[in-house]
Amino acid sequence: MSSIHPTSIIEQGAEIGEGVTIGPFCHIGSQAVIGDNVSLLSHIVIMGPTTLGDGSKVYPNAVLGGEPQNTKHKGGHTTLVIGKNCVIREGVTMHRGTDGSRGITTVGDNCMFLAYSHVAHDCIIGDNVTFSNNVMIGGHVTIGNNVIIGGGAGIHQFVRVGHHAFIGGLAALASDLVPYGMAIGNHAYLGGLNIIGMKRSGMARPEIHNLRHAVRMLFDRSKSIKNRADDVRTAFPESPAVADLIDFISTDTKRAFCTPPLDSAIEISDSDVS
């Protein structure tokens, strides 16, 4: 059975799963779908067509499913879908999609959003993603699986962040970040590879070495990145990780790529990998 505090408002039509706990002063809209074993601590607002996956836990003052902050939105039916086992901390905001675009904002499973972070309209967030405190992402951003974003970082609209990437605290990312990349600075630049993340994911050392050399080739500035991508694919024909990297580079995008500073090159020592 679910437990609903008498001070909370559950509008008629809302779907509440089994084993749900709703604390005091929550407001759940009529189009909300709350999965099984969800915990809403207190003072939480869930608006519009919003789905919250099984086992998720939401902390006070979070607002989920608000209309997009986009002047092109005309009030049409759009949605927010949040996956299973997500932790959504104090003051987090997530907006629905825009009726003139994707129309849906999606968040994967097992994600953690620390206090006052923000997910804008039409974004796609993968699984096992961590937003630290006060992370802000603009509309239409795509975040791959297993990405970690440091506190106070901001990501420009339409930017893509590849899986297993790391974005440093207070970074301002206005360009696509390749899988396994590590972006730091304001504006953010490519400072190397997320070696720690690759180790934690269980990637074999030879694949890490392949990626290290592939990234050096990609960003040596002798040719454009997309032209160098062909050389890298030829140099590492047996590496799935490198193929994944090149597929990301080869995909059409509205943004440039996050690159190293003009006066430096990516340096990753063997001791970083071992």
Side-chain angles (χ1 to χ4, degrees), residues 167-186:
I167 299 172
L170 300 177
L173 182 64
S175 306
D176 286 356
L177 178 61
V178 295
Y180 308 103
M182 182 172 62
I184 53 179
N186 186 353

Side-chain angles (χ1 to χ4, degrees), residues 184-262:
I184 53 179
N186 186 353
H187 279 38
Y189 60 88
L190 186 65
L193 291 175
N194 183 17
I195 300 296
I196 293 175
M198 287 189 278
K199 288 179 179 178
R200 288 175 177 171
S201 71
M203 181 177 286
R205 285 185 62 190
E207 278 292 72
I208 296 177
H209 282 290
N210 287 338
L211 281 171
R212 179 189 63 172
H213 295 299
V215 167
R216 284 177 175 171
M217 289 180 64
L218 274 173
F219 297 105
D220 74 351
R221 302 186 186 281
S222 63
K223 299 180 183 178
S224 70
I225 293 174
K226 290 198 173 183
N227 286 337
R228 288 296 284 165
D230 294 333
D231 297 337
V232 173
R233 193 188 297 273
T234 300
F236 300 93
E238 304 298 328
S239 171
V242 171
D244 182 42
L245 178 71
I246 299 307
D247 288 342
F248 185 93
I249 293 288
S250 303
T251 301
D252 290 336
T253 177
K254 295 179 183 253
R255 308 298 302 170
F257 290 99
C258 186
T259 62
L262 289 172

